Amino acid sequence: MKKKSFVMSMILLLSISMVLAACGGKEGGKTEKASGDGKGGKPKFVSILTGGTGGTYFPLGGSFAKIITDETGIKSNAETTGASAENMQSLKDGNGEIAFTQTDIASYAKEGEEMFKGSKVDNVKAIGTLYPETIQLVTTEKSGIKKMSDLKGKKVSVGAPGSGTVANAQQILEVYGMKFDDIKKQDLSFDESVDGLQNGVIDAAFVTAGTPTGAVEQMTATEKVVIVPIEADKAEKLIKKYPYYTIDKVPAGVYKLNKEVPTVAVQAMLVARGDMSEQAVYDITKALFENLDQITHAKGKLIKPENALNGVGIDVHPGAQKYFDEKGIKASK
């Protein structure tokens, strides 16, 4: 009888232990997902949130995913998204580990401004800036649009909802004394904008992306592409009010342009969830910045580790900072 009682007691204790272990596993699930597999904080998989297939983020994200997979052993893939603003919100919500964003959008998210009013994003940190994100107001020769004031009353795409392009379009129109009410605003992605321009559904489209932008480049097969200039005085006015902009240009030859077109740019940046382990982000940062020769997109040539801390605007992830410290890289003043 005593033996039977002892066995029953052991079974009961074992059952209780299993329940407690299961509960502990559930409580620790989020930490394990964010920090890794418990072996040096190395996750088994990371998702890179990019943008539309016609932009620059997506093809670059594909190259980044391959480098991360090959060099760190962490499986990775690139996901199409609505780009910058959507990506910051997705990381806040835990849907993804790494993302592309514009420096201006990251700053809005951190401060709870613009599209992030009342919804600050405080769990995202920078890996590093990458290259200029050129603001391109794209139209066609047949539209007759040659300058910003020609946009009044026209059907103009200002970018996909949730993208940083929307804020860029609004701010640029502002320095020209215009608002969205002055145009027939269309909320289209890069690819949708190109289709709209080619089919005559829209007259012009704001595109914020590295040049050459795939979707715009494809237009040259059937249309004579026109990039509307942002004049120097307007660019200076814009930069004075919104310091994250810089002077830029679309070079001659790109999109078969006969001459370069003056414009402005923000910076593209790679960010990570703040709860990713220091070791994982260090490994990823090292892999990316030491294998830039594997990037086939033209923008890969502009990505340099020595420039990666310039203009980030938000806190740098400790893992990325460790890599830059080892290399003696600091932000330029």
Side-chain angles (χ1 to χ4, degrees):
M1 188 71 179
K2 287 184 178 180
K3 184 176 181 181
K4 183 176 180 181
S5 177
F6 174 77
V7 171
M8 292 299 292
S9 297
M10 290 301 294
I11 291 173
L12 180 61
L13 285 171
L14 183 60
S15 300
I16 293 172
S17 297
M18 289 174 69
V19 170
L20 289 173
C23 292
K26 287 179 182 178
E27 290 176 358
K30 289 184 179 179
T31 302
E32 184 139 316
K33 181 180 179 182
S35 301
D37 59 4
K39 299 176 181 178
K42 182 177 179 179
K44 294 180 180 179
F45 175 83
V46 295
S47 179
I48 304 176
L49 309 181
T50 63
T53 56
T56 304
Y57 289 171
F58 183 70
L60 270 182
S63 293
F64 284 8
K66 186 176 187 306
I67 291 171
I68 291 170
T69 300
D70 292 347
E71 299 296 327
T72 71
I74 302 171
K75 292 182 179 180
S76 179
N77 74 348
E79 291 187 23
T80 59
T81 69
S84 297
E86 180 182 311
N87 290 350
M88 293 296 291
Q89 186 63 47
S90 292
L91 289 187
K92 178 183 179 179
D93 297 339
N95 300 321
E97 290 73 40
I98 296 174
F100 285 80
T101 188
Q102 294 170 202
T103 48
D104 54 335
I105 301 305
S107 294
Y108 296 152
K110 177 187 174 184
E111 301 300 328
E113 299 174 346
E114 294 290 339
M115 66 285 288
F116 293 97
K117 281 183 179 177
S119 182
K120 286 186 179 182
V121 177
D122 54 11
N123 68 327
V124 176
K125 298 185 183 299
I127 290 179
T129 55
L130 303 171
Y131 59 87
E133 287 268 47
T134 309
I135 316 296
Q136 306 163 72
L137 177 52
V138 184
T139 186
T140 61
E141 188 177 53
K142 66 185 181 185
S143 74
I145 297 171
K146 297 180 180 179
K147 55 186 184 298
M148 286 289 174
S149 59
D150 293 337
L151 295 180
K152 290 183 178 181
K154 302 289 187 179
K155 292 180 181 178
V156 182
S157 171
V158 299
S163 71
T165 306
V166 176
N168 300 144
Q170 187 172 29
Q171 290 159 359
I172 289 168
L173 288 173
E174 178 188 322
V175 299
Y176 279 89
M178 290 189 286
K179 299 178 180 180
F180 283 159
D181 290 343
D182 295 311
I183 63 173
K184 295 176 181 177
K185 183 173 74 75
Q186 309 291 310
D187 304 300
L188 307 176
S189 69
F190 291 164
D191 292 329
E192 290 170 336
S193 294
V194 169
D195 288 342
L197 286 167
Q198 291 177 321
N199 297 329
V201 176
I202 62 172
D203 302 300
F206 281 91
V207 174
T208 301
T211 53
T213 305
V216 181
E217 204 166 27
Q218 291 171 18
M219 281 181 58
T220 62
T222 57
E223 301 288 343
K224 187 173 174 74
V225 172
V226 173
I227 304 295
V228 179
I230 298 177
E231 295 85 356
D233 61 326
K234 299 298 184 183
E236 289 172 9
K237 184 178 179 181
L238 182 72
I239 293 167
K240 185 175 181 180
K241 185 167 185 179
Y242 304 105
Y244 36 75
Y245 285 100
T246 59
I247 298 292
D248 200 10
K249 63 185 178 183
V250 180
V254 173
Y255 313 136
K256 300 180 181 179
L257 297 174
N258 294 326
K259 60 181 181 179
E260 69 178 37
V261 180
T263 184
V264 293
V266 290
Q267 290 247 67
M269 177 165 64
L270 200 65
V271 296
R273 286 222 319 267
D275 58 1
M276 283 187 70
S277 73
E278 180 177 321
Q279 186 62 49
V281 176
Y282 170 84
D283 290 343
I284 289 169
T285 306
K286 179 181 175 71
L288 293 176
F289 283 102
E290 294 189 358
N291 291 279
L292 295 172
D293 59 329
Q294 296 183 32
I295 298 173
T296 56
H297 193 280
K299 280 301 174 186
K301 295 178 181 178
L302 298 180
I303 303 173
K304 301 180 185 299
E306 58 266 31
N307 297 330
L309 295 179
N310 296 340
V312 291
I314 63 173
D315 294 336
V316 178
H317 195 288
Q321 190 65 59
K322 179 182 176 182
Y323 172 75
F324 296 126
D325 287 345
E326 287 181 356
K327 295 295 180 181
I329 296 170
K330 296 181 180 179
S332 63
K333 295 181 180 179

